[in-house]
mmCIF file of all heavy atoms in Angstrom:
data_model
loop_
_atom_site.group_PDB
_atom_site.id
_atom_site.type_symbol
_atom_site.label_atom_id
_atom_site.label_comp_id
_atom_site.label_asym_id
_atom_site.label_seq_id
_atom_site.Cartn_x
_atom_site.Cartn_y
_atom_site.Cartn_z
ATOM 1 N N GLU A 14 1.481 -2.366 -20.539
ATOM 2 C CA GLU A 14 0.301 -1.642 -21.039
ATOM 3 C C GLU A 14 -0.964 -2.478 -20.851
ATOM 4 O O GLU A 14 -2.010 -1.958 -20.459
ATOM 5 C CB GLU A 14 0.484 -1.243 -22.507
ATOM 6 C CG GLU A 14 1.498 -0.136 -22.708
ATOM 7 C CD GLU A 14 1.138 1.155 -21.997
ATOM 8 O OE1 GLU A 14 -0.057 1.514 -21.944
ATOM 9 O OE2 GLU A 14 2.053 1.819 -21.481
ATOM 10 N N ALA A 15 -0.889 -3.771 -21.144
ATOM 11 C CA ALA A 15 -2.044 -4.652 -20.945
ATOM 12 C C ALA A 15 -2.383 -4.760 -19.457
ATOM 13 O O ALA A 15 -3.559 -4.756 -19.072
ATOM 14 C CB ALA A 15 -1.764 -6.036 -21.532
ATOM 15 N N ALA A 16 -1.361 -4.836 -18.624
ATOM 16 C CA ALA A 16 -1.578 -4.901 -17.175
ATOM 17 C C ALA A 16 -2.286 -3.644 -16.682
ATOM 18 O O ALA A 16 -3.207 -3.712 -15.856
ATOM 19 C CB ALA A 16 -0.248 -5.089 -16.449
ATOM 20 N N ARG A 17 -1.884 -2.530 -17.197
ATOM 21 C CA ARG A 17 -2.491 -1.252 -16.826
ATOM 22 C C ARG A 17 -3.998 -1.280 -17.113
ATOM 23 O O ARG A 17 -4.811 -0.900 -16.271
ATOM 24 C CB ARG A 17 -1.786 -0.169 -17.635
ATOM 25 C CG ARG A 17 -2.168 1.225 -17.363
ATOM 26 C CD ARG A 17 -1.296 2.135 -18.228
ATOM 27 N NE ARG A 17 -1.621 3.508 -18.012
ATOM 28 C CZ ARG A 17 -0.749 4.482 -17.948
ATOM 29 N NH1 ARG A 17 0.526 4.235 -18.095
ATOM 30 N NH2 ARG A 17 -1.131 5.712 -17.751
ATOM 31 N N VAL A 18 -4.369 -1.745 -18.286
ATOM 32 C CA VAL A 18 -5.777 -1.819 -18.673
ATOM 33 C C VAL A 18 -6.528 -2.840 -17.813
ATOM 34 O O VAL A 18 -7.601 -2.550 -17.275
ATOM 35 C CB VAL A 18 -5.911 -2.170 -20.179
ATOM 36 C CG1 VAL A 18 -7.362 -2.448 -20.543
ATOM 37 C CG2 VAL A 18 -5.339 -1.051 -21.030
ATOM 38 N N CYS A 19 -5.964 -4.036 -17.680
ATOM 39 C CA CYS A 19 -6.643 -5.106 -16.933
ATOM 40 C C CYS A 19 -6.807 -4.754 -15.458
ATOM 41 O O CYS A 19 -7.882 -4.954 -14.887
ATOM 42 C CB CYS A 19 -5.878 -6.425 -17.080
ATOM 43 S SG CYS A 19 -5.980 -7.140 -18.730
ATOM 44 N N PHE A 20 -5.744 -4.244 -14.836
ATOM 45 C CA PHE A 20 -5.840 -3.885 -13.417
ATOM 46 C C PHE A 20 -6.845 -2.751 -13.218
ATOM 47 O O PHE A 20 -7.592 -2.743 -12.238
ATOM 48 C CB PHE A 20 -4.481 -3.477 -12.856
ATOM 49 C CG PHE A 20 -3.528 -4.625 -12.643
ATOM 50 C CD1 PHE A 20 -2.200 -4.522 -13.056
ATOM 51 C CD2 PHE A 20 -3.931 -5.789 -12.015
ATOM 52 C CE1 PHE A 20 -1.305 -5.567 -12.841
ATOM 53 C CE2 PHE A 20 -3.045 -6.843 -11.801
ATOM 54 C CZ PHE A 20 -1.726 -6.724 -12.218
ATOM 55 N N ALA A 21 -6.881 -1.783 -14.128
ATOM 56 C CA ALA A 21 -7.830 -0.673 -14.009
ATOM 57 C C ALA A 21 -9.263 -1.172 -14.179
ATOM 58 O O ALA A 21 -10.168 -0.746 -13.467
ATOM 59 C CB ALA A 21 -7.518 0.401 -15.041
ATOM 60 N N ARG A 22 -9.465 -2.074 -15.093
ATOM 61 C CA ARG A 22 -10.804 -2.580 -15.384
ATOM 62 C C ARG A 22 -11.305 -3.546 -14.314
ATOM 63 O O ARG A 22 -12.454 -3.493 -13.906
ATOM 64 C CB ARG A 22 -10.781 -3.299 -16.734
ATOM 65 C CG ARG A 22 -12.157 -3.734 -17.200
ATOM 66 C CD ARG A 22 -12.101 -4.501 -18.514
ATOM 67 N NE ARG A 22 -11.441 -3.730 -19.543
ATOM 68 C CZ ARG A 22 -10.736 -4.267 -20.536
ATOM 69 N NH1 ARG A 22 -10.590 -5.564 -20.633
ATOM 70 N NH2 ARG A 22 -10.178 -3.500 -21.432
ATOM 71 N N ASN A 23 -10.428 -4.433 -13.830
ATOM 72 C CA ASN A 23 -10.856 -5.530 -12.957
ATOM 73 C C ASN A 23 -10.311 -5.458 -11.539
ATOM 74 O O ASN A 23 -10.645 -6.307 -10.717
ATOM 75 C CB ASN A 23 -10.415 -6.872 -13.563
ATOM 76 C CG ASN A 23 -10.869 -7.033 -14.991
ATOM 77 O OD1 ASN A 23 -11.996 -6.709 -15.320
ATOM 78 N ND2 ASN A 23 -9.992 -7.518 -15.844
ATOM 79 N N GLY A 24 -9.446 -4.507 -11.246
ATOM 80 C CA GLY A 24 -8.788 -4.466 -9.946
ATOM 81 C C GLY A 24 -7.698 -5.517 -9.876
ATOM 82 O O GLY A 24 -7.546 -6.347 -10.773
ATOM 83 N N TYR A 25 -6.932 -5.469 -8.819
ATOM 84 C CA TYR A 25 -5.824 -6.413 -8.658
ATOM 85 C C TYR A 25 -6.344 -7.844 -8.542
ATOM 86 O O TYR A 25 -5.890 -8.738 -9.257
ATOM 87 C CB TYR A 25 -4.989 -6.045 -7.420
ATOM 88 C CG TYR A 25 -3.851 -6.996 -7.179
ATOM 89 C CD1 TYR A 25 -2.664 -6.853 -7.869
ATOM 90 C CD2 TYR A 25 -3.964 -8.045 -6.269
ATOM 91 C CE1 TYR A 25 -1.605 -7.737 -7.668
ATOM 92 C CE2 TYR A 25 -2.926 -8.929 -6.055
ATOM 93 C CZ TYR A 25 -1.738 -8.765 -6.761
ATOM 94 O OH TYR A 25 -0.710 -9.648 -6.562
ATOM 95 N N ASP A 26 -7.290 -8.056 -7.632
ATOM 96 C CA ASP A 26 -7.776 -9.410 -7.373
ATOM 97 C C ASP A 26 -8.540 -10.004 -8.555
ATOM 98 O O ASP A 26 -8.539 -11.221 -8.738
ATOM 99 C CB ASP A 26 -8.661 -9.427 -6.119
ATOM 100 C CG ASP A 26 -7.874 -9.071 -4.866
ATOM 101 O OD1 ASP A 26 -6.678 -9.414 -4.801
ATOM 102 O OD2 ASP A 26 -8.454 -8.436 -3.974
ATOM 103 N N GLY A 27 -9.178 -9.171 -9.362
ATOM 104 C CA GLY A 27 -9.962 -9.654 -10.482
ATOM 105 C C GLY A 27 -9.174 -9.838 -11.769
ATOM 106 O O GLY A 27 -9.747 -10.158 -12.811
ATOM 107 N N THR A 28 -7.888 -9.621 -11.705
ATOM 108 C CA THR A 28 -7.035 -9.736 -12.892
ATOM 109 C C THR A 28 -6.117 -10.935 -12.754
ATOM 110 O O THR A 28 -5.501 -11.134 -11.710
ATOM 111 C CB THR A 28 -6.185 -8.458 -13.074
ATOM 112 O OG1 THR A 28 -7.060 -7.354 -13.262
ATOM 113 C CG2 THR A 28 -5.255 -8.575 -14.261
ATOM 114 N N SER A 29 -6.000 -11.696 -13.824
ATOM 115 C CA SER A 29 -5.065 -12.823 -13.835
ATOM 116 C C SER A 29 -3.918 -12.531 -14.801
ATOM 117 O O SER A 29 -4.066 -11.732 -15.733
ATOM 118 C CB SER A 29 -5.777 -14.111 -14.265
ATOM 119 O OG SER A 29 -6.113 -14.051 -15.642
ATOM 120 N N ILE A 30 -2.805 -13.188 -14.570
ATOM 121 C CA ILE A 30 -1.654 -13.077 -15.471
ATOM 122 C C ILE A 30 -2.059 -13.548 -16.868
ATOM 123 O O ILE A 30 -1.652 -12.977 -17.877
ATOM 124 C CB ILE A 30 -0.451 -13.885 -14.932
ATOM 125 C CG1 ILE A 30 0.038 -13.295 -13.608
ATOM 126 C CG2 ILE A 30 0.676 -13.932 -15.948
ATOM 127 C CD1 ILE A 30 0.569 -11.890 -13.706
ATOM 128 N N ARG A 31 -2.892 -14.556 -16.928
ATOM 129 C CA ARG A 31 -3.361 -15.083 -18.217
ATOM 130 C C ARG A 31 -4.101 -13.993 -19.003
ATOM 131 O O ARG A 31 -3.877 -13.820 -20.199
ATOM 132 C CB ARG A 31 -4.258 -16.305 -18.011
ATOM 133 C CG ARG A 31 -4.731 -16.935 -19.309
ATOM 134 C CD ARG A 31 -5.442 -18.251 -19.100
ATOM 135 N NE ARG A 31 -4.656 -19.234 -18.372
ATOM 136 C CZ ARG A 31 -3.678 -19.979 -18.883
ATOM 137 N NH1 ARG A 31 -3.345 -19.816 -20.136
ATOM 138 N NH2 ARG A 31 -3.045 -20.859 -18.141
ATOM 139 N N GLN A 32 -4.991 -13.240 -18.323
ATOM 140 C CA GLN A 32 -5.723 -12.162 -18.996
ATOM 141 C C GLN A 32 -4.748 -11.124 -19.559
ATOM 142 O O GLN A 32 -4.911 -10.661 -20.686
ATOM 143 C CB GLN A 32 -6.667 -11.454 -18.023
ATOM 144 C CG GLN A 32 -7.858 -12.252 -17.587
ATOM 145 C CD GLN A 32 -8.587 -11.563 -16.440
ATOM 146 O OE1 GLN A 32 -7.980 -11.051 -15.505
ATOM 147 N NE2 GLN A 32 -9.911 -11.563 -16.524
ATOM 148 N N ILE A 33 -3.782 -10.769 -18.755
ATOM 149 C CA ILE A 33 -2.797 -9.768 -19.173
ATOM 150 C C ILE A 33 -2.036 -10.262 -20.400
ATOM 151 O O ILE A 33 -1.880 -9.537 -21.387
ATOM 152 C CB ILE A 33 -1.832 -9.442 -18.018
ATOM 153 C CG1 ILE A 33 -2.586 -8.729 -16.890
ATOM 154 C CG2 ILE A 33 -0.651 -8.596 -18.510
ATOM 155 C CD1 ILE A 33 -1.818 -8.616 -15.587
ATOM 156 N N CYS A 34 -1.567 -11.506 -20.338
ATOM 157 C CA CYS A 34 -0.776 -12.053 -21.445
ATOM 158 C C CYS A 34 -1.605 -12.225 -22.709
ATOM 159 O O CYS A 34 -1.091 -12.016 -23.814
ATOM 160 C CB CYS A 34 -0.118 -13.365 -21.028
ATOM 161 S SG CYS A 34 1.208 -13.087 -19.837
ATOM 162 N N GLU A 35 -2.872 -12.578 -22.572
ATOM 163 C CA GLU A 35 -3.739 -12.666 -23.748
ATOM 164 C C GLU A 35 -3.887 -11.299 -24.399
ATOM 165 O O GLU A 35 -3.789 -11.169 -25.613
ATOM 166 C CB GLU A 35 -5.107 -13.240 -23.367
ATOM 167 C CG GLU A 35 -5.087 -14.730 -23.133
ATOM 168 C CD GLU A 35 -6.426 -15.282 -22.624
ATOM 169 O OE1 GLU A 35 -7.429 -14.524 -22.570
ATOM 170 O OE2 GLU A 35 -6.460 -16.476 -22.267
ATOM 171 N N MET A 36 -4.118 -10.265 -23.592
ATOM 172 C CA MET A 36 -4.261 -8.919 -24.139
ATOM 173 C C MET A 36 -2.946 -8.435 -24.757
ATOM 174 O O MET A 36 -2.955 -7.759 -25.791
ATOM 175 C CB MET A 36 -4.719 -7.943 -23.060
ATOM 176 C CG MET A 36 -4.894 -6.523 -23.583
ATOM 177 S SD MET A 36 -5.525 -5.416 -22.319
ATOM 178 C CE MET A 36 -7.271 -5.727 -22.519
ATOM 179 N N ALA A 37 -1.828 -8.806 -24.132
ATOM 180 C CA ALA A 37 -0.515 -8.358 -24.608
ATOM 181 C C ALA A 37 0.022 -9.230 -25.737
ATOM 182 O O ALA A 37 1.059 -8.896 -26.319
ATOM 183 C CB ALA A 37 0.476 -8.354 -23.444
ATOM 184 N N ASP A 38 -0.661 -10.332 -26.009
ATOM 185 C CA ASP A 38 -0.177 -11.310 -26.982
ATOM 186 C C ASP A 38 1.258 -11.718 -26.624
ATOM 187 O O ASP A 38 2.188 -11.619 -27.428
ATOM 188 C CB ASP A 38 -0.245 -10.746 -28.407
ATOM 189 C CG ASP A 38 -0.024 -11.828 -29.463
ATOM 190 O OD1 ASP A 38 -0.333 -13.009 -29.181
ATOM 191 O OD2 ASP A 38 0.477 -11.488 -30.553
ATOM 192 N N ALA A 39 1.400 -12.135 -25.356
ATOM 193 C CA ALA A 39 2.717 -12.498 -24.828
ATOM 194 C C ALA A 39 2.641 -13.833 -24.096
ATOM 195 O O ALA A 39 1.587 -14.224 -23.591
ATOM 196 C CB ALA A 39 3.206 -11.409 -23.877
ATOM 197 N N ASN A 40 3.752 -14.494 -24.004
ATOM 198 C CA ASN A 40 3.882 -15.764 -23.301
ATOM 199 C C ASN A 40 3.783 -15.521 -21.793
ATOM 200 O O ASN A 40 4.356 -14.565 -21.274
ATOM 201 C CB ASN A 40 5.229 -16.397 -23.670
ATOM 202 C CG ASN A 40 5.395 -17.774 -23.102
ATOM 203 O OD1 ASN A 40 5.318 -17.966 -21.891
ATOM 204 N ND2 ASN A 40 5.645 -18.727 -23.975
ATOM 205 N N LEU A 41 3.077 -16.418 -21.089
ATOM 206 C CA LEU A 41 2.926 -16.298 -19.633
ATOM 207 C C LEU A 41 4.263 -16.199 -18.903
ATOM 208 O O LEU A 41 4.390 -15.466 -17.925
ATOM 209 C CB LEU A 41 2.151 -17.506 -19.081
ATOM 210 C CG LEU A 41 0.648 -17.499 -19.270
ATOM 211 C CD1 LEU A 41 0.070 -18.871 -18.958
ATOM 212 C CD2 LEU A 41 0.006 -16.457 -18.388
ATOM 213 N N ALA A 42 5.253 -16.924 -19.364
ATOM 214 C CA ALA A 42 6.554 -16.945 -18.685
ATOM 215 C C ALA A 42 7.245 -15.585 -18.712
ATOM 216 O O ALA A 42 8.085 -15.296 -17.850
ATOM 217 C CB ALA A 42 7.449 -18.004 -19.322
ATOM 218 N N LEU A 43 6.869 -14.720 -19.664
ATOM 219 C CA LEU A 43 7.529 -13.413 -19.758
ATOM 220 C C LEU A 43 7.208 -12.507 -18.571
ATOM 221 O O LEU A 43 8.013 -11.651 -18.211
ATOM 222 C CB LEU A 43 7.158 -12.727 -21.073
ATOM 223 C CG LEU A 43 7.756 -13.370 -22.322
ATOM 224 C CD1 LEU A 43 7.256 -12.656 -23.577
ATOM 225 C CD2 LEU A 43 9.276 -13.360 -22.261
#
Side-chain angles (χ1 to χ4, degrees):
E14 289 300 323
R17 184 177 180 140
V18 172
C19 290
F20 286 134
R22 186 183 304 149
N23 307 317
Y25 179 82
D26 295 327
T28 299
S29 70
I30 295 297
R31 182 172 304 281
Q32 289 170 317
I33 293 168
C34 289
E35 284 175 7
M36 180 177 274
D38 192 27
N40 186 302
L41 282 168
L43 290 177

